[in-house]
């Protein structure tokens, strides 16, 4: 059963159902899921079924189904909707519908709102997801203004009115899934390996005209496993282990990076690779300087590298702090806006909210102070302002994607996100993936990730390591893997890089691992990708597939 958001004339959003045709049953009862047939009774839900709905195009994106904890003979499914709450105030809600139909095709009725969004700058969210991981439930929503996905931590329990709702934990900050351009994710439970798998969409970061010229817009990300990290007190995501079967060749080497050095690792790397770098950095990386400065320590990986003036930079860095304080403002991506009585409150809220990296407070009154507080999820240009404005940044390590020198024909926005060091703060792992225009990094096993797009010529293919403003050498253990395609029709490359070489590929060895990944992984991977492409084509998230 596939539930999806359908639209009538005028973008009136409703909910429809499609089923695999009866002839789509192969030997052993398996289905190809190459096609679906719309239910003749569609739509199963309309705009009239949502009490207080604001805007006929503000009711969409079904979740998976789950058993009603208050009536185990019913199933529940949730959507996002923009509604007037009981006080008549517009807000985004995750609304729940129930059905007693075991075939999930009819008898849907409105139940209640499971969660009300009171904090975002926009009154409409998208792509909710609600699922159980271990003994806990988690809620995921996508923000239309920021274009990012975040987790809401809380408890699924009865409220004072006896309804089972998701109560957000005000002492547990929300967190982004990915700090870059990664959106509209959907999880599915794998009952064989008892794990939760997350899929996301990587939009283009280019002008609309350029996208039309290329003939496509966006790509489905590789699947990620989802786990809760008790030490970091957050959900983390990392590439599912089966992706290792796409590795063709491996080179492993130890690299020493001197202070303020860029060390080219491979000047002619392939356009599809995985690179795992285990950095060892000296103590004191997070020490705060006595004065505000932009000369802060950083290290990381330069991808799509052409020369010392043309590259895309993944970095772990401390925040630049020059021109912070009174009389300055910054123009990062807005996370939230609200009013406070004390300037310090603005900084404290930003410090608590792990999605926030910067803040600005503006005194809006002449008599008793009252401040307009803006929280930001990225850094922006710092500009001079009058004495009523004060701005600052959270002093914590940042994971950063900088495309200012990339040469990309697309957008150059710098993506950032808080990435505290783990353990004693001297070891950091960056796992980098380059898949042509898609560049992606996972830090420390997926505690943080960042995804972006760069549109550069194919000869911008090198990769380098760097260390800036760190007085001692930085050591790195590098494992580099050229990656094969998941599509069976494409032949594997015939060349592999020589270990430690900066001069590009050489002839492949006649011994060692097979060039072609396991065929069963190809089949499974292609099947999963087909399912997710279908879901995106229908402009929906994948709520439930009964195989």
């Amino acid at each position: 059963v596939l539930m999806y958001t359908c639209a009538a004339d005028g973008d009136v959003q409703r909910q429809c159902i499609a089923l695999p045709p009866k002839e789509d049953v192969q030997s052993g009862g398996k289905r190809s899921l190459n096609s679906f047939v719309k239910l003749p009774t569609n739509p199963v839900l309309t705009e009239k079924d949502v009490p207080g709905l604001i805007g006929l195009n503000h009711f969409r994106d079904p979740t998976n189904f789950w058993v009603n904890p208050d009536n185990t003979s019913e199933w529940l499914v949730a959507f996002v909707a923009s509604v007037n709450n009981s006080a008549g105030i517009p807000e985004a809600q995750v609304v729940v519908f129930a059905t007693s139909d075991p075939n999930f095709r009819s008898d849907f009725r409105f139940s209640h709102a499971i969660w009300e969004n009171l904090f975002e700058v926009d009154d409409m969210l998208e792509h909710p997801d609600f699922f159980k991981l271990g003994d806990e439930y988690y809620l995921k929503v996508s923000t239309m203004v920021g274009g990012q996905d975040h987790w809401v931590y809380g408890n699924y329990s009865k409220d004072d009115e006896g309804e089972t709702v998701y109560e957000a934990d005000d002492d547990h900050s929300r967190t982004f899934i990915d700090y870059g351009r990664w959106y509209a994710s959907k999880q599915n439970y794998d009952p064989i390996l008892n794990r939760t798998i997350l899929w996301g969409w990587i939009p283009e970061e280019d002008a609309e005209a350029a996208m039309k010229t290329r003939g496509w817009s966006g790509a489905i990300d590789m699947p990620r496993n989802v786990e809760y990290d008790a030490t970091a007190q957050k959900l983390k995501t990392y590439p599912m282990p089966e992706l290792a079967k796409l590795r063709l060749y491996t080179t492993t080497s130890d690299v020493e990076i001197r202070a303020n050095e860029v060390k080219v690792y491979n000047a002619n790397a392939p356009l599809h690779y995985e690179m795992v770098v285990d950095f060892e950095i000296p103590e004191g990386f997070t020490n705060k300087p006595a004065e505000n400065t932009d000369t802060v320590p950083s290290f990381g990986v330069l991808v799509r590298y052409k020369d010392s003036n043309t590259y895309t930079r993944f970095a772990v860095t401390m925040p630049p702090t020059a021109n912070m304080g009174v009389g300055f403002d910054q123009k990062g991506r807005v996370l939230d806006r609200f009013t406070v009585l004390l300037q310090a409150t603005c900084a404290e809220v930003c410090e608590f909210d792990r999605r926030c990296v910067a803040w600005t407070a503006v005194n809006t009154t002449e008599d008793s102070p009252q401040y307009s507080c803006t929280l930001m999820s990225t850094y922006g240009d710092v500009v001079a302002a009058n004495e009523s404005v004060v701005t600052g940044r959270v002093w914590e390590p940042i994971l950063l994607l900088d495309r200012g020198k990339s040469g990309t024909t697309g957008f150059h926005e710098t993506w950032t996100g808080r990435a505290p060091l783990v353990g004693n703060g001297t070891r950091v792992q960056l796992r980098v993936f380059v898949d042509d225009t898609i560049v992606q990094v996972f830090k420390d096993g997926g505690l943080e990730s960042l995804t972006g797009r760069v549109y550069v010529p194919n000869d911008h293919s090198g990769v380098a390591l760097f260390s800036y403003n760190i007085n001692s050498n930085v050591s790195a253990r590098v494992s580099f893997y050229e990656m094969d395609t998941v599509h069976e029709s494409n032949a594997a490359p015939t060349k592999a890089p020589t270990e430690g070489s900066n001069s590009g590929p050489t002839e492949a060895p006649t011994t060692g691992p097979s060039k072609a990944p396991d065929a069963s992984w190809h089949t499974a991977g292609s099947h999963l990708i087909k399912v997710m492409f279908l879901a995106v084509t229908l402009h929906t998230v994948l709520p439930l597939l009964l195989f």
Side-chain angles (χ1 to χ4, degrees), residues 52-231:
L53 181 67
I54 303 172
L56 300 183
N57 62 338
H58 282 182
F59 170 41
R60 57 180 174 270
D61 302 336
T63 65
N64 290 356
F65 288 82
W66 73 96
V67 176
N68 186 349
D70 300 323
N71 182 354
T72 55
S73 65
E74 290 185 336
W75 291 82
L76 303 178
V77 60
F79 309 83
V80 287
S82 184
V83 302
N84 280 322
N85 64 17
S86 57
I89 300 173
E91 66 181 13
Q93 293 184 355
V94 178
V95 295
V96 174
F97 285 77
T99 179
S100 56
D101 180 0
N103 296 313
F104 308 102
R105 302 180 189 182
S106 63
D107 189 34
F108 292 97
R109 58 177 179 79
F110 179 81
S111 179
H112 62 287
I114 193 176
W115 180 74
E116 299 178 358
N117 178 64
L118 303 175
F119 307 104
E120 304 303 318
V121 296
D122 193 88
D123 293 327
M124 184 59 186
L125 301 172
E126 290 188 299
H127 310 290
D129 213 351
F130 186 69
F131 62 97
K132 191 175 185 180
L133 187 65
D135 295 327
E136 302 294 332
Y137 281 88
Y138 297 94
L139 175 67
K140 190 278 304 181
V141 289
S142 303
T143 58
M144 292 183 65
V145 172
Q148 292 174 289
D149 286 16
H150 64 233
W151 303 116
V152 180
Y153 301 94
N155 299 291
Y156 188 45
S157 57
K158 288 186 181 295
D159 62 9
D160 295 337
E161 298 178 0
E163 293 179 327
T164 303
V165 299
Y166 192 71
E167 188 72 29
D169 183 354
D170 293 336
D171 295 325
H172 196 160
S173 166
R174 305 182 202 181
T175 57
F176 283 123
I177 299 177
D178 191 285
Y179 288 138
R181 202 73 173 100
W182 193 90
Y183 194 63
S185 59
K186 174 56 58 178
Q187 64 80 29
N188 277 283
Y189 176 67
D190 177 357
I192 305 300
L193 297 179
N194 188 27
R195 61 181 176 178
T196 296
I197 298 174
L198 190 71
W199 298 79
W201 177 47
I202 305 174
E204 305 293 330
E205 294 187 81
D206 207 349
E208 185 174 349
M211 289 187 282
K212 288 182 178 179
T213 299
R214 281 192 294 270
W216 72 83
S217 178
I220 298 298
D221 189 21
M222 55 190 172
R224 305 182 182 191
N225 282 14
V226 183
E227 294 179 4
Y228 185 79
D229 189 287
T231 301

Side-chain angles (χ1 to χ4, degrees), residues 511-532:
T511 60
S514 170
K515 295 179 183 178
D518 185 84
S520 63
W521 164 243
H522 272 185
T523 304
S526 298
H527 171 69
L528 290 171
I529 287 175
K530 286 177 185 176
V531 172
M532 291 308 298

Side-chain angles (χ1 to χ4, degrees), residues 206-469:
D206 207 349
E208 185 174 349
M211 289 187 282
K212 288 182 178 179
T213 299
R214 281 192 294 270
W216 72 83
S217 178
I220 298 298
D221 189 21
M222 55 190 172
R224 305 182 182 191
N225 282 14
V226 183
E227 294 179 4
Y228 185 79
D229 189 287
T231 301
Q233 297 186 7
K234 63 184 289 190
L235 289 169
K236 65 180 181 180
T237 64
Y238 57 91
M240 63 190 301
E242 288 87 341
L243 288 169
K245 294 186 177 182
L246 293 180
R247 294 171 177 173
L248 291 174
Y249 305 102
T250 305
T251 60
T252 302
S253 55
D254 294 313
V255 180
E256 198 78 8
I257 313 161
R258 297 189 299 271
N260 298 314
E261 180 185 24
V262 173
K263 178 158 287 188
V264 176
Y265 182 79
N266 189 333
N268 298 287
L271 294 180
H272 311 275
Y273 64 83
E274 174 189 357
M275 184 178 187
V276 181
V277 187
D278 290 291
F279 289 95
E280 186 171 352
I281 61 175
E283 295 180 353
F285 182 82
T286 61
N287 291 347
K288 194 168 186 178
E291 298 180 354
N292 287 350
T293 178
D294 283 348
T295 306
V296 292
S298 67
F299 62 92
V301 181
L302 306 180
V303 299
R304 302 307 302 262
Y305 178 92
K306 181 182 180 183
D307 52 44
S308 59
N309 295 311
T310 310
Y311 53 80
T312 297
R313 180 170 66 111
F314 279 125
V316 176
T317 179
M318 295 308 295
T321 56
N323 297 327
M324 294 289 109
V326 177
F328 293 97
D329 192 5
Q330 51 187 320
K331 305 298 181 181
R333 184 175 285 255
V334 174
L335 175 67
D336 201 359
R337 287 194 180 98
F338 50 88
T339 300
V340 294
L341 298 179
L342 298 174
Q343 170 196 304
T345 303
C346 188
E348 291 168 359
V349 174
C350 184
E351 181 83 28
F352 169 78
D353 192 330
R354 289 188 282 183
R355 301 168 300 168
C356 182
V357 299
W359 56 272
T360 292
V362 181
N363 189 351
T364 57
T365 61
E366 295 183 0
D367 300 327
S368 58
Q370 183 170 291
Y371 295 87
S372 173
C373 176
T374 300
L375 306 184
M376 287 160 275
S377 61
T378 65
Y379 296 153
D381 294 335
V382 179
V383 297
N386 59 43
E387 295 297 308
S388 68
V389 182
V390 60
T391 194
R393 291 172 175 171
V394 177
W395 185 255
E396 189 169 50
I398 293 294
L399 184 63
L400 174 146
L401 171 61
D402 175 16
R403 296 170 289 190
K405 294 186 176 182
S406 67
T408 181
T409 59
F411 303 146
H412 291 76
E413 181 175 8
T414 298
W415 292 105
T416 59
R418 286 159 64 172
L421 304 184
V422 299
N424 64 2
T426 62
R427 296 181 181 273
V428 177
Q429 183 187 85
L430 296 183
R431 187 178 180 187
V432 175
F433 290 86
V434 171
D435 191 3
D436 200 352
T437 66
I438 299 171
V439 294
Q440 193 168 50
V441 63
F442 295 83
K443 175 183 168 289
D444 291 328
L447 287 175
E448 293 84 26
S449 65
L450 201 164
T451 302
R453 305 296 289 260
V454 289
Y455 309 95
V456 297
N458 286 349
D459 62 351
H460 294 41
S461 65
V463 58
L465 308 179
F466 72 89
S467 170
Y468 298 149
N469 304 315

